[in-house]
Amino acid sequence: MRFSFLMGLSTAATMGITLTTVFAETTRYTVHNGDSLYSIAQKYHTTVSALKSANHLSSDLIHPGQVLWIGSSQSVGRGSEVKADSVAAAKPSSVSTYTVQSGDSLWSISQKFHVTVQSLEAWNGLRSTSVIHPGENLMVSKSTAAKISVLSSRSSNPDGSDLSLAESALGFTIADYAKTLLGAPYAWGGTSPAGFDCSGLVQYVFAHFGISLPRTSYGQFDSGTPVTQSNLQPGDVVFFDTYGSGASHDGVYIGNNQFVNAAGSAVQIDSLADPYWGGHYIGARRM
């Protein structure tokens, strides 16, 4: 269910492979009185559809003072070969995150940090239809690229596939997003930050990345691919039999034997090393 998205991340993680969603040779253009998408497209030898796609515009309406990202006709909308090192050169040199404020959008954040909307989406595992929330932490630099590099150096299989590397990078992003929900109250049957139960939290986290999971922990246990405890990676879902036999509880694994789950009175971090959780652990799934 994540194949298309993961292939995009895999492409970004591989030097010299064609990228079709990131622009080389981009230009920032501030809209002036009398401008239209058509006139700007003519000026920069590109197309209206390419401008709309690059800036996530749903209509032809633009306004003076608005900043647009413009790529050449050779690099926008044609699947041209843009090398990963060219993309890296266009990213900020430092690693940083930004906490989303009320009224923010991906477009306004992209303008603030002088990056493209497409880069924000790639670094944070988002889609054009994704919703961001106040209090959410977004990577606004090449953090994901750094994580991919670390994962590559730690890989037990140097010849492993780029897709596996992309899965790992996405898993880190999923784990990071789960941690932004810490402190949200526990509510039986809850499926939103106003109140979560265990499976409601897991379903909500994965839905943020366009991954649809069943509503209950039992249904989620029947999804994905089984993972042994020794091979757990951030972003895996861990399961427990807290109410008798079966997967009655679950959470999102974040690394270092820890997982985020809705338990007690709030979303919190617990450890598989804890005698209670370790004693009730029954398995994990990679979604």
Side-chain angles (χ1 to χ4, degrees):
M1 82 183 74
R2 286 190 291 166
F3 182 76
S4 296
F5 176 71
L6 287 172
M7 284 305 294
L9 272 178
S10 175
T11 298
T14 306
M15 302 299 284
I17 299 299
T18 300
L19 295 176
T20 59
T21 58
V22 185
F23 305 112
E25 304 175 9
T26 52
T27 300
R28 297 177 75 245
Y29 177 77
T30 302
V31 177
H32 298 90
N33 285 324
D35 277 342
S36 66
L37 286 181
Y38 178 78
S39 66
I40 296 171
Q42 295 300 301
K43 181 176 181 180
Y44 286 94
H45 308 290
T46 184
T47 65
V48 170
S49 61
L51 286 175
K52 292 173 70 173
S53 175
N55 294 277
H56 282 229
L57 300 176
S58 58
S59 72
D60 292 344
L61 182 64
I62 55 176
H63 56 81
Q66 181 176 352
V67 176
L68 300 179
W69 289 96
I70 301 169
S72 70
S73 59
Q74 288 75 32
S75 61
V76 177
R78 292 178 55 183
S80 59
E81 292 190 357
V82 180
K83 302 298 183 181
D85 51 1
S86 298
V87 176
K91 295 178 184 178
S93 58
S94 61
V95 174
S96 58
T97 60
Y98 172 74
T99 302
V100 177
Q101 308 296 314
S102 180
D104 276 343
S105 66
L106 286 179
W107 184 84
S108 66
I109 295 171
S110 75
Q111 302 304 295
K112 183 190 296 284
F113 291 95
H114 308 294
V115 298
T116 65
V117 170
Q118 288 82 1
S119 293
L120 289 176
E121 290 174 345
W123 299 339
N124 293 279
L126 303 176
R127 295 182 173 186
S128 59
T129 55
S130 296
V131 177
I132 57 175
H133 308 278
E136 180 178 346
N137 291 319
L138 296 180
M139 289 178 282
V140 292
S141 74
K142 55 183 178 182
S143 297
T144 297
K147 286 180 178 178
I148 290 174
S149 176
V150 170
L151 285 165
S152 180
S153 67
R154 292 179 178 175
S155 174
S156 59
N157 177 15
D159 298 320
S161 70
D162 298 322
L163 185 58
S164 296
L165 197 60
E167 274 190 340
S168 298
L170 177 59
F172 269 99
T173 308
I174 290 171
D176 286 344
Y177 181 68
K179 288 186 284 188
T180 69
L181 300 170
L182 291 173
Y186 179 88
W188 180 265
T191 59
S192 77
F196 286 114
D197 66 11
C198 63
S199 55
L201 170 68
V202 171
Q203 185 186 53
Y204 183 89
V205 168
F206 279 85
H208 182 78
F209 298 92
I211 302 170
S212 178
L213 294 183
R215 171 63 186 89
T216 69
S217 56
Y218 300 96
Q220 291 166 6
F221 189 67
D222 291 332
S223 303
T225 303
V227 181
T228 63
Q229 188 169 356
S230 61
N231 288 320
L232 283 172
Q233 293 182 4
D236 291 342
V237 181
V238 289
F239 294 88
F240 308 87
D241 58 351
T242 54
Y243 300 107
S245 62
S248 54
H249 186 79
D250 60 357
V252 179
Y253 187 71
I254 59 174
N256 297 321
N257 232 22
Q258 296 181 317
F259 61 98
V260 172
N261 68 136
S265 61
V267 175
Q268 60 193 40
I269 293 177
D270 285 301
S271 174
L272 294 174
D274 181 280
Y276 175 80
W277 294 113
H280 288 276
Y281 178 82
I282 61 171
R285 298 290 184 269
R286 187 160 297 155
M287 304 299 181

